[in-house]
Amino acid sequence: MNIKEASEKTGVSSAAIRYYEKESLIPEIDRTEVGNRDIDDRIIRRIKFVTQMRAAGMSIENLRRYIQLFDAQEDNTKEQKAILQEQLAVMEEKRDDLQSAIDHLNYKLNHFYDHMETTEEELRELERQHAEKKANQ
Amino acid sequence: MNIKEASEKTGVSSAAIRYYEKESLIPEIDRTEVGNRDIDDRIIRRIKFVTQMRAAGMSIENLRRYIQLFDAQEDNTKEQKAILQEQLAVMEEKRDDLQSAIDHLNYKLNHFYDHMETTEEELRELERQHAEKKANQ
DNA sequence: ATAGACCTTAATGTGTACTTGAAGGCAAGG
DNA sequence: CCTTGCCTTCAAGTACACATTAAGGTCTAT
């Protein structure tokens, strides 16, 4: 498939696919006789992996570090796992921060004070809800 | 309190606090006789609100839109709620994306294939887990 | 009164992650 | 033959969210 189809299939622009290839986030793509990229499903999956990690906030730089370990010959299983675990921790913290911001907004929507600062009252209530949630785990 | 204390209290750099003020993400800050910013707890709370929303991925531009409605005289309750709700939806989607990436990484860590592409098998498994989770809600 | 630590504004620089533009090649259709 | 529409590379531009630097003012202590 050509780069345009791949772009449509992944939702990633053609330029971004070229960029990912240049930055080694995806493997080198095979070419047709005239030099056009010929993209297969393996590449599509790699693009989707990049997209998902990017959406989760993993930087291009970290992704490259991780992917280079995969593409290396040696057995880097430990390092790979370490990077994944590190990234996992980052993502879980992000998710929790996000959840607390969601709780905050929900609280605002439900109470809707006429001034927007988080009041002490409000902070205590959020704290209370947080403690309650933890107790339920 | 001066800007440095405020910076330490919020974890936001002095430069960023000035920037937030300039961009109207926080109210105009009172000045001392010599023109230095004199920051009170109301401003601190506003800075923290900005920080939380920024961490949750709300752009400066959207934050400004929202905050300007608050600072306006008219009763913009509906619009304010609409913006919050819109932002809430964005954040919930983000959280879900993040969760699915977390699931994906956890799956990888538990199975650890020797090639990193998401296999069809793996995708089916993730789909299955997703369905199961939904059923449990 | 001189140092050192704080402050001010305004302009410019930085890093990230792309996007856009320029200049051109190849193949099909009218 | 020319246009359309895809592709290529390489370089330069863009948007965001600050960070840094320059050039100066003020306050406090020794």
Side-chain angles (χ1 to χ4, degrees):
Chain A
M1 110 188 51
N2 67 20
I3 200 168
K4 203 185 182 211
E5 282 176 85
S7 165
E8 281 156 9
K9 216 165 178 179
T10 58
V12 175
S13 75
S14 300
I17 293 174
R18 293 193 195 98
Y19 172 74
Y20 287 165
E21 187 189 11
K22 206 168 155 198
E23 298 296 316
S24 305
L25 300 186
I26 55 178
E28 270 192 59
I29 301 172
D30 292 341
R31 303 304 179 107
T32 64
E33 322 79 49
V34 295
N36 291 2
R37 285 172 183 80
D38 187 15
I39 296 174
D40 59 20
D41 281 1
R42 174 172 146 269
I43 302 290
I44 294 290
R45 283 194 297 272
R46 295 276 299 241
I47 293 169
K48 284 183 178 167
F49 176 75
V50 169
T51 309
Q52 191 171 25
M53 293 302 120
R54 292 281 313 114
M58 194 173 189
S59 70
I60 298 283
E61 184 51 36
N62 267 353
L63 254 171
R64 190 180 17 232
R65 275 205 310 142
Y66 174 66
I67 285 165
Q68 275 170 356
L69 284 179
F70 263 107
D71 294 348
Q73 292 298 15
E74 317 95 70
D75 178 16
N76 287 304
T77 310
K78 262 185 203 160
E79 289 91 327
Q80 288 166 31
K81 282 203 174 191
I83 292 178
L84 281 189
Q85 229 133 20
E86 201 181 298
Q87 178 61 22
L88 199 56
V90 170
M91 281 158 58
E92 281 172 344
E93 199 187 327
K94 228 174 204 176
R95 178 201 56 198
D96 293 346
D97 287 354
L98 204 46
Q99 187 59 54
S100 112
I102 288 171
D103 291 348
H104 196 148
L105 279 194
N106 266 321
Y107 187 90
K108 275 189 189 304
L109 274 167
N110 290 332
H111 295 71
F112 223 73
Y113 296 117
D114 57 352
H115 41 73
M116 67 165 305
E117 295 95 41
T118 305
T119 62
E120 294 309 316
E121 207 176 340
E122 189 174 353
L123 284 174
R124 273 197 301 279
E125 171 69 8
L126 286 167
E127 180 52 39
R128 202 193 56 69
Q129 287 177 4
H130 188 67
E132 197 176 276
K133 254 188 202 171
K134 271 212 160 168
N136 288 344
Q137 275 174 12
Chain B
M1 118 190 38
N2 67 20
I3 200 168
K4 204 188 181 205
E5 283 176 85
S7 166
E8 280 157 10
K9 216 166 179 177
T10 58
V12 176
S13 75
S14 301
I17 293 175
R18 293 194 195 97
Y19 172 74
Y20 287 166
E21 187 189 12
K22 206 166 157 198
E23 296 296 317
S24 306
L25 300 187
I26 56 178
E28 270 191 59
I29 301 171
D30 292 342
R31 302 307 179 104
T32 64
E33 322 80 46
V34 297
N36 291 3
R37 286 173 182 79
D38 186 15
I39 297 175
D40 59 19
D41 281 1
R42 174 172 145 268
I43 302 290
I44 295 290
R45 282 195 296 272
R46 295 276 299 241
I47 293 169
K48 284 183 178 167
F49 176 75
V50 170
T51 309
Q52 190 170 26
M53 290 305 119
R54 292 281 310 116
M58 194 172 189
S59 70
I60 297 283
E61 183 51 36
N62 266 353
L63 255 171
R64 190 180 17 232
R65 276 207 310 142
Y66 174 65
I67 285 164
Q68 274 169 357
L69 284 178
F70 264 106
D71 294 347
Q73 292 299 15
E74 318 94 69
D75 177 17
N76 287 305
T77 310
K78 260 186 205 160
E79 289 93 326
Q80 288 167 29
K81 284 203 174 194
I83 292 179
L84 282 189
Q85 229 133 20
E86 204 180 296
Q87 180 59 24
L88 199 55
V90 170
M91 282 159 56
E92 281 172 344
E93 200 188 325
K94 227 173 206 178
R95 179 201 54 197
D96 292 346
D97 286 355
L98 205 45
Q99 187 60 53
S100 110
I102 288 171
D103 291 347
H104 196 147
L105 280 194
N106 267 321
Y107 187 90
K108 274 188 190 304
L109 274 167
N110 291 331
H111 294 71
F112 222 74
Y113 295 116
D114 57 352
H115 42 72
M116 67 166 306
E117 295 94 41
T118 305
T119 61
E120 294 309 315
E121 208 176 336
E122 188 175 357
L123 284 173
R124 273 197 303 278
E125 172 68 9
L126 285 166
E127 180 53 38
R128 201 192 56 68
Q129 288 176 4
H130 187 67
E132 197 176 275
K133 257 190 198 168
K134 271 213 159 166
N136 288 344
Q137 275 174 9

